[in-house]
Amino acid sequence: QVQLVESGGGLVQPGGSLRLSCVASGSILSIYVMAWYRQAPGKQRELVASITNSHSTNYADSVKGRFTISRDNAKNTAYLQMMSLKFEDTAVYYCNAQVLVDRYSGYETSWGQGTQVTVSS
């Protein structure tokens, strides 16, 4: 069993900042990719940012220059530093990870429960 637990969401004013954390626990040999997705009401879930085990990153165009994804491999933790937040960033943010459980099973995709980020004045 692999669990992802997000934290750090909340209410913030436009232009403000939040830092989300995602901690993976359970049967883990290694984690290849950790990523943040978000889903706003009535919209599709979209990839916000991802980071590989070698710290290669990718960002959605809408967050480039404002968000930074990072990870601490020793802690099996990913972070999303969000700055210059906009109304359009309001969504439930989900942590995702591709986890190597063992050599036989290979990788499993795990999702967190989500954390609400609300940008409002």
Side-chain angles (χ1 to χ4, degrees):
Q1 182 182 9
V2 177
Q3 293 178 300
L4 303 180
V5 179
E6 301 104 330
S7 62
L11 176 65
V12 65
Q13 293 186 330
S17 301
L18 282 175
R19 187 196 192 211
L20 305 183
S21 298
C22 171
V23 180
S25 62
S27 180
I28 300 171
L29 291 181
S30 65
I31 303 175
Y32 174 48
V33 178
M34 300 190 78
W36 289 95
Y37 289 75
R38 68 185 181 187
Q39 186 167 23
K43 296 184 178 181
Q44 64 185 11
R45 185 172 298 187
E46 64 175 344
L47 176 65
V48 177
S50 65
I51 183 168
T52 68
N53 57 355
S54 60
H55 297 86
S56 177
T57 59
N58 283 286
Y59 296 92
D61 289 340
S62 60
V63 307
K64 286 182 179 178
R66 299 188 299 118
F67 291 10
T68 301
I69 188 170
S70 61
R71 63 188 286 173
D72 184 332
N73 292 335
K75 297 181 178 179
N76 291 140
T77 301
Y79 306 94
L80 186 68
Q81 179 66 56
M82 304 184 293
M83 298 179 290
S84 301
L85 284 161
K86 306 174 180 179
F87 295 124
E88 307 88 81
D89 295 319
T90 296
V92 177
Y93 284 71
Y94 297 92
C95 182
N96 178 80
Q98 295 181 9
V99 182
L100 181 63
V101 177
D102 56 55
R103 291 187 176 184
Y104 178 78
S105 298
Y107 287 94
E108 292 185 356
T109 298
S110 298
W111 290 91
Q113 80 289 345
T115 184
Q116 177 71 47
V117 172
T118 302
V119 183
S120 177
S121 60

